[in-house]
Amino acid sequence: MYNYEWDIETGGYMLTTKVSGVTKELRPVFYEELDLLGFSKYWSYPKSEKPLLWAETRRYIYKGRLVAEAQGGGLYTKPTLKIHEDKLNLEPVDIDIMIEKNKALMTGLVQNSVGIIYKTFNEYKNKNIDVVYVAFSGGKDSIVLLDLVQRALPHNEFKIVFGDTSMEISDTYKAVERAKERWTDLEFYTAKSHLDAKESWELFGPPSRTQRWCCSVHKSAPSLLKLREVTGKNRLSALVFDGVRAEESSARATYSVVSEGHKHTTQSNCSPILSWGTNELFLYIFEKNLLLNDAYRYGVVRVGCAICPMSSQWWEYIANKIYKEEIISFINIVKENVQSKFKCEKELLTYLDTGGWKGRMGGRDLKNGGSRVIEQSSEDYLILNVSEQNSNWQEWIKPIGEVTVLGNNKYSIEHSNNNYIFNIEEKDKKLLVRIRNGNRTKESIRFMYLFKNAFYKTAYCVNCRVCEVECPFGILQMTNNEVHIGKGCVHCESCLDKQKGCLVAKSLSITMGGNNMNLKGINRYQHFGFRKVWLSYFIEEKNDFWKCGKLGKYQFDSFKVWLKEAELTENNMFNNLAVRVEDVGIDNNNIWAVIINNIAYNSTIVKWYIQNIEFNLSYNTSTIVTLLGDDLSISTRENAVTSLKETFRYSPIGTELGVGVCELKGNSVVSITRRPWANPEPLVILYSLYKFAEKSDGYYSFTLSYLCDETIERAGISPTQIFGINRETMKDKLQSLATDYKDFISVSFSKDLDNIDLKKDKTSLNVLELFLT
């Protein structure tokens, strides 16, 4: 909310409304952290309960001066210290005076948040909400949230739910007990999965940055199941107050204070401290003398699970030093799964130290990994070979539609007013499923996606109960390790509508470099990227470019490939698209959006990047290399990633379009963050839609839901996936296009319809001509 400026008198800070104030995430530093990192060699300080100085991430500030920095670190590697001021005698921060100096601004901020809580509660109480609860984690955000809620609302009007993942650190369990002791009249409940975390790690495989099944299995689902238990209702609507803050990530910065169905269809969320910064959180904690999880005293920035694929190497060093006994069993599970990959113990320890295990894409290196469903598809038939049945297929197929037994292993199923006939042969718990491929309509594509997912469920389901809470009507039940879908199923498809239908299937299936892609040809570019200056030479020289001598031999070879993949050449000759690019001009970022759209179809490494790298998540370059899998040599993968880095650095594709925003250290790219295109140009979207249709065998009619569903396997790549455009923005842009360019597109958004129709007599090249009008 507010910036801050250093206050020499107190050794603290003062909130300020000045835009020029400091805006970095702030935390107090206690003696325990200084001892752990070895600062006692350089400074003298008391063993005080109060903070001694402050840290902006890893920059240590004492009375407004940068006095030290900590760099690096890993599971086994201690961060190195860079001391700017030696032989300091630290004094505790004068917390009382600091609080007094900030009281005016803090009072207004607190009153606003309390008002949000009270107003939201009353609005939803009138909507006959079944239960109101506070999501409590034992961290700083949730302790402030809980205190605000208990001030705003009568204590008998809400409950507190602590999501015990069974991966919590010991200090978090202590914090929960201290909260119970402070507010003895509040109703605290603990929500915990029936699966112990170590058991689930064995069943699902260790979680990773792309396989984050753990939050659903161990937090979200148990919390909603606990509420069903408490209220006695299988179908309930809940209002949850959470401690989400915009400062924590660029993704959370886009959240609304109140949202409905953001995480679960039956749940509304209110985030009263969304605008708060850590500077305000700690002021509130100190002023109200609230409990502070002791993990913060060791330098933890955010309290979470003892081991997490999203955690920093900074956290892992602290965890391995302070909570070693709590993470060792999980580290051992990782070791057991990947040990055979390494020639020696040193290589394995380096892999663990640098967090290599976080890059796992699928089940290739896992003991129980493998594809239990093999798909074989032809023009006429889809055949599924299911090698293992973990649950009953006849239950999982119910959400799709009504099934009729025809006899002789033949069945009929109805979906969207269409009937589909399929055969199933069962032998030794294996299934052979055969179904005729329907016509390529949006209805048949949707059906085949759900149909396959039902059999992935059959093969992989471990009764984690995530699907049970996704059922908005409470019809799906999991008891005694069996799945039962009752007669009241309305075929909403929620339980099947996820990649491969099942979190376990997604986690354990064998992939080729991620997303089942064959990565052959990712290194076609001699490690060079697509550079803007090279394109300017090509536009200027045209067909004489190849003998202009402005590039070296290998640079020419590389750029020849890039131009072909951008569809700017035919037989290395200047083509019609290149003419249009020249007409519009390469200083127009929309031209670069067209280029990356084309490259996404034709470049293996760019297509992989588009389909596997998440938005608003920072990836260091070594992580991207790891995510590419082990099928190709390390040098091949590194060269491919270098080509990406060069493309992002030396063309508007990177920063201006947000496809790959590079963080530099010196002249080296240390991390890449993929950002959604902040204000996408409608004509680029129209071009991308026509390209989508052309690559999909002339499939010119589809729905917005189909475009936004990235789990569907298809030849076309949606503009929503390429540019990170959310559904509402896409809908607005499409309506604008339909108004302005009726000869190219029409849309119908009413009730349950979200149809998009492109004109078959137009092409993507015709769209590019509109850029000049």
Side-chain angles (χ1 to χ4, degrees):
M1 180 72 180
Y2 296 113
N3 299 331
Y4 61 89
E5 294 177 331
W6 298 114
D7 179 34
I8 308 303
E9 178 190 1
T10 63
Y13 55 87
M14 291 181 61
L15 301 179
T16 176
T17 57
K18 295 179 183 177
V19 176
S20 58
V22 184
T23 58
K24 295 181 179 179
E25 194 169 0
L26 185 69
R27 62 182 177 84
V29 178
F30 300 91
Y31 78 87
E32 289 91 339
E33 177 180 348
L34 301 182
D35 285 349
L36 177 65
L37 297 178
F39 278 102
S40 58
K41 296 179 182 178
Y42 309 100
W43 301 340
S44 298
Y45 46 83
K47 306 287 186 181
S48 173
E49 287 298 305
K50 295 181 179 180
L52 299 170
L53 66 165
W54 306 90
E56 296 168 340
T57 312
R58 302 190 190 187
R59 301 173 74 250
Y60 293 86
I61 310 296
Y62 182 63
K63 296 188 176 180
R65 308 191 309 272
L66 175 63
V67 294
E69 295 176 81
Q71 300 170 338
L75 186 66
Y76 306 118
T77 302
K78 186 176 183 178
T80 57
L81 301 180
K82 184 177 181 181
I83 305 297
H84 294 291
E85 290 192 29
D86 198 358
K87 299 180 181 178
L88 283 176
N89 291 306
L90 304 182
E91 298 175 351
V93 177
D94 194 328
I95 293 294
D96 293 336
I97 296 179
M98 185 179 78
I99 290 169
E100 191 62 34
K101 286 187 174 185
N102 287 288
K103 183 161 287 187
L105 288 179
M106 281 299 297
T107 298
L109 181 65
V110 170
Q111 287 176 347
N112 179 64
S113 293
V114 169
I116 289 171
I117 294 166
Y118 184 76
K119 179 182 177 183
T120 304
F121 169 77
N122 283 308
E123 286 178 357
Y124 278 84
K125 190 175 182 181
N126 293 331
K127 295 180 181 180
N128 296 318
I129 205 83
D130 292 309
V131 64
V132 179
Y133 76 98
V134 175
F136 188 71
S137 69
K140 62 184 185 301
D141 301 336
S142 65
I143 198 66
V144 169
L145 171 72
L146 176 55
D147 192 64
L148 291 171
V149 173
Q150 67 88 27
R151 291 174 61 184
L153 304 180
H155 287 194
N156 63 346
E157 293 283 4
F158 66 95
K159 307 178 189 308
I160 300 101
V161 179
F162 165 56
D164 181 0
T165 64
S166 64
M167 291 178 279
E168 311 296 331
I169 56 175
S170 53
D171 280 325
T172 293
Y173 292 117
K174 293 175 184 176
V176 173
E177 292 307 312
R178 288 161 63 192
K180 291 178 181 178
E181 291 170 3
R182 180 175 179 122
W183 293 290
T184 56
D185 60 334
L186 295 180
E187 287 186 76
F188 281 84
Y189 293 92
T190 297
K192 190 173 183 178
S193 171
H194 64 291
L195 296 173
D196 180 75
K198 289 186 280 294
E199 181 184 2
S200 63
W201 276 50
E202 296 284 4
L203 290 170
F204 288 78
S208 68
R209 296 185 79 166
T210 59
Q211 304 290 348
R212 299 201 299 272
W213 52 264
C214 42
C215 293
S216 296
V217 173
H218 287 287
K219 275 208 166 183
S220 303
S223 293
L224 288 173
L225 289 168
K226 174 57 69 173
L227 292 172
R228 288 183 181 182
E229 176 190 319
V230 170
T231 61
K233 296 182 178 181
N234 279 332
R235 181 181 179 182
L236 61 83
S237 56
L239 171 64
V240 55
F241 290 102
D242 63 43
V244 168
R245 294 186 301 108
E247 184 186 63
E248 293 179 301
S249 70
S250 52
R252 291 186 169 189
T254 64
Y255 287 9
S256 300
V257 173
V258 179
S259 61
E260 295 188 356
H262 180 70
K263 292 186 177 180
H264 290 280
T265 55
T266 59
Q267 179 173 291
S268 299
N269 288 64
C270 177
S271 308
I273 59 172
L274 184 68
S275 63
W276 286 44
T278 50
N279 47 352
E280 291 131 357
L281 282 174
F282 284 113
L283 274 170
Y284 188 85
I285 288 170
F286 291 137
E287 179 186 0
K288 300 299 180 183
N289 195 29
L290 300 178
L291 66 96
L292 185 65
N293 190 312
D294 284 341
Y296 292 113
R297 300 188 68 88
Y298 294 102
V300 170
V301 179
R302 295 183 181 90
V303 169
C305 294
I307 188 165
C308 173
M310 305 305 293
S311 66
S312 66
Q313 290 173 286
W314 172 267
W315 160 255
E316 288 177 356
Y317 175 76
I318 297 172
N320 198 32
K321 283 294 181 181
I322 306 301
Y323 308 106
K324 186 171 184 175
E325 294 304 314
E326 294 154 50
I327 69 170
I328 190 65
S329 57
F330 299 104
I331 294 296
N332 287 338
I333 293 173
V334 175
K335 282 184 178 181
E336 290 166 7
N337 278 285
V338 302
Q339 199 146 16
S340 60
K341 290 175 54 176
F342 301 99
K343 298 176 182 177
C344 61
E345 182 75 6
K346 183 178 179 181
E347 286 185 3
L348 173 60
L349 293 179
T350 300
Y351 174 83
L352 295 171
D353 187 50
T354 57
W357 62 276
K358 302 175 185 178
R360 179 178 73 83
M361 300 294 295
R364 183 177 304 279
D365 298 318
L366 302 180
K367 294 182 299 183
N368 60 339
S371 296
R372 302 175 193 171
V373 180
I374 305 297
E375 301 178 24
Q376 296 172 282
S377 186
S378 66
E379 290 185 7
D380 297 323
Y381 287 97
L382 169 71
I383 297 175
L384 303 176
N385 288 280
V386 183
S387 62
E388 184 177 335
Q389 291 187 70
N390 267 4
S391 57
N392 188 348
W393 69 266
Q394 296 187 40
E395 291 296 321
W396 285 122
I397 208 162
K398 288 179 181 179
I400 301 176
E402 296 299 323
V403 177
T404 302
V405 180
L406 302 178
N408 295 323
N409 300 321
K410 185 178 288 188
Y411 303 83
S412 170
I413 184 169
E414 182 180 351
H415 181 262
S416 297
N417 297 319
N418 293 310
N419 278 300
Y420 300 86
I421 307 297
F422 62 98
N423 290 74
I424 294 187
E425 298 177 21
E426 183 173 0
K427 185 178 180 181
D428 299 329
K429 289 193 174 183
K430 297 180 181 181
L431 297 176
L432 179 64
V433 184
R434 183 184 178 93
I435 185 169
R436 182 177 290 277
N437 271 327
N439 297 324
R440 283 183 61 86
T441 64
K442 55 181 177 287
E443 291 84 8
S444 67
I445 290 173
R446 175 68 176 175
F447 167 76
M448 295 301 282
Y449 160 72
L450 296 169
F451 185 78
K452 288 189 290 185
N453 284 354
F455 288 95
Y456 276 104
K457 290 277 200 190
T458 300
Y460 287 95
C461 177
V462 296
N463 293 289
C464 70
R465 304 187 76 183
V466 170
C467 296
E468 184 175 350
V469 300
E470 288 297 342
C471 177
F473 303 99
I475 302 299
L476 193 159
Q477 298 288 315
M478 291 182 170
T479 55
N480 301 320
N481 292 324
E482 291 185 357
V483 177
H484 178 69
I485 299 174
K487 293 183 179 180
C489 178
V490 298
H491 314 299
C492 71
E493 304 168 358
S494 296
C495 58
L496 294 176
D497 195 7
K498 56 176 65 70
Q499 188 174 348
K500 294 191 182 298
C502 175
L503 293 173
V504 186
K506 180 174 179 287
S507 183
L508 296 185
S509 295
I510 298 293
T511 62
M512 293 269 306
N515 213 25
N516 290 311
M517 283 182 61
N518 185 337
L519 292 178
K520 183 179 179 181
I522 65 168
N523 184 24
R524 301 172 179 172
Y525 317 101
Q526 312 285 346
H527 73 255
F528 294 111
F530 194 127
R531 300 188 182 190
K532 181 179 179 180
V533 66
W534 293 357
L535 182 59
S536 70
Y537 297 155
F538 177 67
I539 296 296
E540 179 184 346
E541 302 286 346
K542 299 183 176 59
N543 293 333
D544 292 331
F545 170 72
W546 307 109
K547 52 186 178 183
C548 72
K550 292 184 177 180
L551 275 63
K553 179 185 182 303
Y554 295 121
Q555 292 174 327
F556 271 122
D557 291 343
S558 165
F559 199 50
K560 187 179 293 184
V561 177
W562 282 119
L563 287 172
K564 180 181 178 181
E565 293 178 341
E567 302 180 17
L568 294 172
T569 59
E570 292 176 21
N571 297 320
N572 296 326
M573 303 293 283
F574 208 79
N575 67 7
N576 290 333
L577 179 59
V579 172
R580 297 291 180 270
V581 169
E582 180 183 25
D583 292 340
V584 178
I586 65 170
D587 289 328
N588 187 324
N589 285 341
N590 295 329
I591 284 297
W592 290 95
V594 167
I595 288 172
I596 189 60
N597 190 95
N598 291 354
I599 292 175
Y601 283 101
N602 302 308
S603 167
T604 304
I605 184 61
V606 172
K607 184 177 183 180
W608 176 89
Y609 179 90
I610 293 293
Q611 293 184 339
N612 290 278
I613 298 300
E614 297 186 45
F615 286 99
N616 297 315
L617 200 59
S618 179
Y619 292 79
N620 61 50
T621 53
S622 61
T623 297
I624 299 177
V625 171
T626 301
L627 291 176
L628 282 165
D630 299 320
D631 291 342
L632 301 174
S633 69
I634 185 71
S635 61
T636 297
R637 287 177 279 142
E638 286 177 341
N639 285 340
V641 172
T642 299
S643 299
L644 284 177
K645 291 190 293 184
E646 282 223 341
T647 299
F648 298 153
R649 284 190 69 183
Y650 299 120
S651 79
I653 291 170
T655 300
E656 283 84 347
L657 297 180
V659 177
V661 180
C662 297
E663 178 190 356
L664 300 179
K665 188 173 183 179
N667 197 39
S668 300
V669 176
V670 294
S671 71
I672 297 173
T673 304
R674 189 178 173 207
R675 304 283 190 202
W677 193 4
N679 187 25
E681 164 61 40
L683 281 177
V684 171
I685 293 175
L686 186 61
Y687 176 88
S688 186
L689 289 174
Y690 268 88
K691 208 70 184 175
F692 180 88
E694 292 160 4
K695 295 291 184 179
S696 303
D697 299 324
Y699 189 58
Y700 283 81
S701 296
F702 31 78
T703 65
L704 179 57
S705 299
Y706 178 73
L707 277 180
C708 294
D709 190 346
E710 297 177 10
T711 65
I712 298 175
E713 296 180 13
R714 56 198 175 195
I717 308 174
S718 170
T720 60
Q721 186 174 19
I722 296 173
F723 300 112
I725 306 170
N726 64 43
R727 183 186 176 92
E728 288 307 309
T729 300
M730 191 68 176
K731 183 178 179 180
D732 290 342
K733 299 294 183 182
L734 288 169
Q735 289 174 320
S736 173
L737 285 167
T739 301
D740 296 338
Y741 303 100
K742 295 179 180 178
D743 292 339
F744 284 80
I745 183 173
S746 62
V747 299
S748 176
F749 296 130
S750 59
K751 295 183 180 179
D752 295 330
L753 298 177
D754 60 353
N755 296 326
I756 303 165
D757 292 292
L758 305 180
K759 309 304 179 183
K760 292 186 178 181
D761 61 336
K762 302 295 184 182
T763 68
S764 56
L765 196 60
N766 294 144
V767 175
L768 205 57
E769 293 170 358
L770 298 174
F771 283 47
L772 297 169
T773 61

